[in-house]
Amino acid sequence: MTAMAEEGNEQAAESEGGGDSGKPGRSLSGRLKGVASSIQTRLPWTRPEKEVEIQEYHFETHGPLVEPGVPAHYEVLEDYWIEEGLSKAFIVNNPKTKQNEYLLFEPVLSRFDYELLERIYSDLRDLLILPDEELHASPRQVLLEKVYTLLDEYGISPEWSQLFRIQYYILRNFLGWSRIDALMKDDLIEDISCDGIGIPIFLYHRTYHNIRTNILFDEESLNALAITLAQRSGKHISVSNPILDSTLPDGSRLQLTLGTEVTTRGTSFTIRKFRAEPFTPIELMDKNTFNVDELVYFWLAIENNKSLLFIGGTASGKTTSLNAVSHFMPPLAKVVSIEDTREITLYHENWIATVTRAATSETSASAIDMFDLLKAAMRQRPEYIIVGEVRGVEAQTLFQAMNTGHTTFSTMHAGDIDAAIHRLESEPLNVPRNMIQALDIVSLQALIYRGTERVRRATEIVEIIGIDPRTDNIQVNNVFEYDPVTDVTTFTGRSKVYNEIMAVRGWDKEMLNTEIGKRREILEAMHDQSIRDYISVSRIFQAYAISPEHVIENIHDLHGLIE
């Protein structure tokens, strides 16, 4: 039994039929005996001579293929299509545990469908060898052509509902992510966590937070999925090297352990999903992570080469905020980003995106860590350096870059400003106190509760003023303060950054306030006109950097400005 339709034993109907292609009293295995052996003699398997017409599923025409089976005593809180007609999620409340659960439903296979799918899967694995002319063809088209050819060889003409069910599982398992494919496509899921063999998968849902699913794996299927995840991330995992940290092709972060070498309950993995498009300042304003005054402050600070550090706990939104405010960088500035796993996404042409590399025992390739990449970046004369997270000796080089005039953005785990400074000065970062003065702004973020809802807020934005000559302590100035009672952030009226910008630009207070008002008006217009995708947002910021007057003139039609 393969892992192709591992849920088949759960979903297959008791009937041996399941379509007009079956004959009473005759099993599929018996009908196909000899067909597979005749097919296996034809290698390599090229595209068919006659054009194969692929049948496409359309929800409006064919209706849903999913038949949800939510227990009658469960309370349905919400349901939504992940792939319309093909996969559907139900958020339910279990009356016994009083906890919410995530139930995923996919097309149900009859016993005949299950056997046919297993046979197709087996034959495809034996024969799916692509000649040169197919290497650049659409993988989906090539795969389905071969499936149709196999069905023709078997002498089976399935009805449309049976054909679409087979197509769904073939595409899901060959080109998708097996049983977690629908979870990977659900935009409301942030984390996917598998803790071991026979243990339900747990999710972090944007609305319902930590939630249990109805999906679990046996040992063979789980190990097969783990190897697939590793291979598609371009890495190797084995019993001798059972731990893997990597990035999946869609940008999601993967942490994986294989077998029972280090995780006693069996293979485990955690996938931290990232949106295909990064959050923008406008979206963070929507979510009240930052208000418009804070975003204007970041805009002016970044444009005037002030260095930023985002601190906070796990899942507080540090990297999301870092990426969002990075859209304020001037359009032609040279940018270098340095990360362990690729998370930063910018709409910026003059940008070098670098990632670390782990050493492997299978090759002589050496490890390249963040310290190596940061040293290399210093020789590339960047104007802005973005470091995903500082946690080691690279912190010293990062602060050296600040002290030599480079503008840097980064994140760090710390619960408050004092803890951040203490961590910077301690092992293994060891940043001298006099070098910390080069840091301009620290933004503290937290994942907090508003009633029963968990939200991300910037609870404090402070500026590093310098070192008190009498006490040798770092002096800070609170620029924005968050009130958890009213859920409102206010400007204190004191800003070293604004004073320095006025001095460099030759502005007086009135001119600064005028510029702040213009940028505030632009951000509010983008919000009102629903301009939220990162490309459009970046293009407007870049247009303002080139010609502020032109953007102000077209402020009531910003869509027209960027078309």
Side-chain angles (χ1 to χ4, degrees), residues 394-424:
E394 71 276 357
Q396 296 179 36
T397 306
L398 182 69
F399 276 83
Q400 285 177 352
M402 291 185 203
N403 280 271
T404 55
H406 296 84
T407 304
T408 69
F409 310 150
S410 189
T411 70
M412 187 175 72
H413 281 85
D416 55 42
I417 306 302
D418 291 337
I421 293 173
H422 180 71
R423 189 178 175 202
L424 285 170

Side-chain angles (χ1 to χ4, degrees), residues 140 146 148 179 194 197-198 216 222 228 256 258 282 312 376 409 455 459 462 468:
R140 184 181 187 277
K146 296 187 184 301
Y148 280 44
R179 297 199 69 189
C194 176
I197 300 165
L216 47 83
L222 183 54
T228 298
L256 176 66
L258 181 65
I282 309 305
F409 310 150
V455 296
T459 58
V462 304
D468 189 327

Side-chain angles (χ1 to χ4, degrees), residues 493-561:
R494 306 179 305 273
S495 173
K496 174 191 173 187
V497 168
Y498 277 160
N499 290 336
E500 290 178 348
I501 291 173
M502 285 193 292
V504 171
R505 294 287 187 97
W507 293 345
D508 57 23
K509 191 71 173 178
E510 183 179 351
M511 295 172 70
L512 174 66
N513 289 335
T514 299
E515 185 63 28
I516 290 173
K518 289 179 181 178
R519 298 183 189 225
R520 181 188 178 101
E521 189 179 0
I522 291 169
L523 289 170
E524 290 176 339
M526 293 167 70
H527 178 271
D528 295 341
Q529 295 172 36
S530 298
I531 300 175
R532 288 169 173 78
D533 69 283
Y534 81 108
I535 293 178
S536 298
V537 167
S538 294
R539 289 177 65 186
I540 290 173
F541 294 150
Q542 292 169 6
Y544 187 82
I546 296 168
S547 178
E549 298 80 10
H550 184 57
V551 175
I552 295 297
E553 289 172 1
N554 294 272
I555 197 166
H556 298 297
D557 183 22
L558 292 174
H559 284 287
L561 178 70

Side-chain angles (χ1 to χ4, degrees), residues 339-353:
E339 302 173 87
D340 281 327
T341 54
R342 175 73 183 278
E343 298 177 45
I344 300 296
T345 301
L346 304 175
Y347 183 69
H348 195 94
E349 288 185 317
N350 195 9
W351 168 40
I352 299 174

Side-chain angles (χ1 to χ4, degrees), residues 289-306:
T289 301
F290 298 105
N291 64 24
V292 65
D293 291 320
E294 292 172 295
L295 293 176
V296 170
Y297 174 78
F298 283 128
W299 190 354
L300 277 165
I302 289 170
E303 187 179 278
N304 288 275
N305 299 103
K306 302 301 180 183

Side-chain angles (χ1 to χ4, degrees), residues 10-21:
E10 303 168 7
Q11 294 187 337
E14 292 298 324
S15 169
E16 293 294 332
D20 56 6
S21 52

Side-chain angles (χ1 to χ4, degrees), residues 102 180-186 189 192 201 203 215 273:
Y102 181 104
I180 65 169
D181 188 57
L183 304 182
M184 295 292 287
K185 294 176 179 177
D186 189 342
I189 294 175
I192 303 171
I201 284 181
L203 311 173
I215 302 171
K273 292 174 57 184

